Amino acid sequence: MHFLDQAKIFVRSGAGGPGAVSFRREKFIEYGGPDGGNGGKGGDIIFEAVAGLNTLIDFRYTQHFRAPRGMGGSGSNRTGAGGDDLVIKVPVGTQILADDEDRTLLLDLTAVGQQVTFMRGGDGGRGNVSYKTSTNRAPRQHGTGWPSEEAWVWLRLKLLADAGLLGLPNAGKSTFINAVTNAQAKVGEYAFTTTRPQLGVVRHRQREFVIADIPGLIEGAAEGAGIGDRFLGHIERCRVLLHLVDANDDDVAESYRIVRDELAAYGAGLDEKPVVVALNKIDTLDDELIAALSAELEEASGAEVLPISGVGGTGIDWVLDKLIEKIGPAPGAVSDDDEGEDAIEWSPV
């Protein structure tokens, strides 16, 4: 399946049905009067976040979504049938943006099962019975129904992950995610082997969390160099970032700085998120050089540097421990402090 994280679609709710102009005509009932019913309401446009979807590829082939209009009213005060609501299913993490210069955020669907009515269908028009008055006993006017709403909107998918992988091309991100999850990301000895984001579930020390791997960044990515920075949106929701630096780079401090500068240029607070820095591919170096490069990288980053090897597995558990520490307790988990308080306050009496 191809990965698509942006799509432009047209949506239109249903118009309201027209009211009826009708008069009661029955044998032995003279001057039966008006009995035209109201029109039915048009269908709503509803967005729903569902599990099992992780791409917007379906919207490449279907771009127009129109809810049915309401049916017209009829005699005997019968109201027309309402149009069915049109539910558009999207992956969790999808944002709906306006088709304007600023791409204004309209909706953000972040939970499975979340439903939001994006456009309301038009109300049905009034039948002639509703226009009857003491001075207008046989009205022939009726409402045509309220019009529908329509718009072009952008869908943008931001993957939901607890941790995000960062680094220059060939920093070993795909190898790392393959080592700690079942992601099976492509690995190659050339730049930009990863061309689309990857998600994997890490199971470590009785914890589970989701980690995301995005294509590598190069200097000038914010201006469109390389693959650009469009995929950085997929780690905006991450609680911690894992920054991998290739130990074989000519200048590990410069490699670190390049990526950090691109995060700052992108914005959205990415450069302010908690980060774990790891010096990768240490299996190719001796201990003395590893210590020197780690010290150089620590000075540049101002953070503890973890020497690891994605291929050999060295330091992997250490990194995962740090990520879990930064991510924090699992939702619904009870901390040791809370357990202690409960133990003190509880009494069988």
Side-chain angles (χ1 to χ4, degrees):
M1 179 185 294
H2 295 288
F3 181 82
L4 188 71
D5 64 346
Q6 291 189 23
K8 185 179 181 181
I9 64 173
F10 174 82
V11 291
R12 184 173 69 191
S13 62
V21 176
S22 175
F23 294 90
R24 184 179 182 187
R25 301 183 187 277
E26 298 179 39
K27 193 176 182 180
F28 306 123
I29 299 180
E30 190 176 11
Y31 307 118
D35 67 349
N38 299 333
K41 175 183 173 297
D44 298 338
I45 294 291
I46 299 174
F47 284 100
E48 179 183 6
V50 298
L53 295 178
N54 55 12
T55 176
L56 299 175
I57 189 65
D58 293 339
F59 298 98
R60 170 173 288 180
Y61 309 105
T62 305
Q63 290 99 19
H64 293 81
F65 297 86
R66 299 180 177 91
R69 68 174 300 156
M71 302 298 292
S74 57
S76 300
N77 290 321
R78 287 177 292 185
T79 300
D84 294 331
D85 296 337
L86 178 59
V87 179
I88 303 175
K89 298 182 184 298
V90 296
V92 179
T94 300
Q95 294 181 327
I96 289 84
L97 311 172
D99 184 28
D100 55 21
E101 188 173 331
D102 298 329
R103 297 284 178 88
T104 306
L105 178 63
L106 304 176
L107 292 179
D108 195 1
L109 305 172
T110 58
V112 174
Q114 183 179 357
Q115 276 194 352
V116 179
T117 301
F118 181 65
M119 286 181 173
R120 189 178 182 277
D123 291 328
R126 294 164 57 191
N128 68 331
V129 69
S130 66
Y131 289 93
K132 180 181 176 181
T133 65
S134 59
T135 58
N136 186 9
R137 308 293 293 177
R140 294 185 176 274
Q141 66 263 45
H142 71 287
T144 57
W146 291 90
S148 59
E149 301 177 17
E150 62 181 46
W152 283 94
V153 295
W154 282 92
L155 306 183
R156 184 185 182 191
L157 175 61
K158 291 184 178 180
L159 299 177
L160 299 181
D162 299 300
L165 281 174
L166 286 174
L168 294 175
N170 274 25
K173 300 186 299 299
S174 296
T175 301
F176 180 86
I177 197 172
N178 287 345
V180 299
T181 73
N182 295 324
Q184 297 182 348
K186 183 179 180 181
V187 178
E189 296 180 355
Y190 55 90
F192 302 114
T193 308
T194 301
T195 58
R196 63 183 183 89
Q198 299 277 352
L199 278 182
V201 178
V202 179
R203 295 175 175 85
H204 181 68
R205 302 197 190 283
Q206 300 181 344
R207 279 289 304 274
E208 286 189 0
F209 63 91
V210 179
I211 190 168
D213 173 24
I214 64 170
L217 299 173
I218 64 173
E219 190 166 13
E223 285 75 42
I227 296 181
D229 63 357
R230 60 169 290 190
F231 292 119
L232 283 176
H234 293 289
I235 59 174
E236 284 185 24
R237 307 180 195 268
C238 294
R239 286 184 274 181
V240 60
L241 303 178
L242 173 58
H243 189 160
L244 297 183
V245 179
D246 190 346
N248 297 306
D249 288 345
D250 296 334
D251 188 341
V252 292
E254 179 66 9
S255 298
Y256 174 84
R257 183 195 61 79
I258 289 174
V259 174
R260 297 301 298 180
D261 288 348
E262 296 306 321
L263 295 183
Y266 177 84
L270 287 185
D271 58 331
E272 300 174 0
K273 287 184 176 292
V275 62
V276 175
V277 182
L279 183 69
N280 196 17
K281 303 183 182 180
I282 61 169
D283 53 295
T284 61
L285 308 175
D286 58 37
D287 293 343
E288 184 178 350
L289 186 53
I290 292 172
L293 292 176
S294 298
E296 182 180 347
L297 191 53
E298 283 186 2
E299 182 178 355
S301 63
E304 179 185 11
V305 174
L306 310 179
I308 68 169
S309 170
V311 174
T314 304
I316 295 296
D317 288 344
W318 193 8
V319 169
L320 296 181
D321 289 342
K322 287 291 183 181
L323 291 178
I324 290 176
E325 179 184 331
K326 298 286 187 180
I327 291 171
V334 180
S335 66
D336 294 338
D337 293 339
D338 293 337
E339 290 179 353
E341 292 176 2
D342 293 341
I344 295 174
E345 294 177 0
W346 182 84
S347 172
V349 180

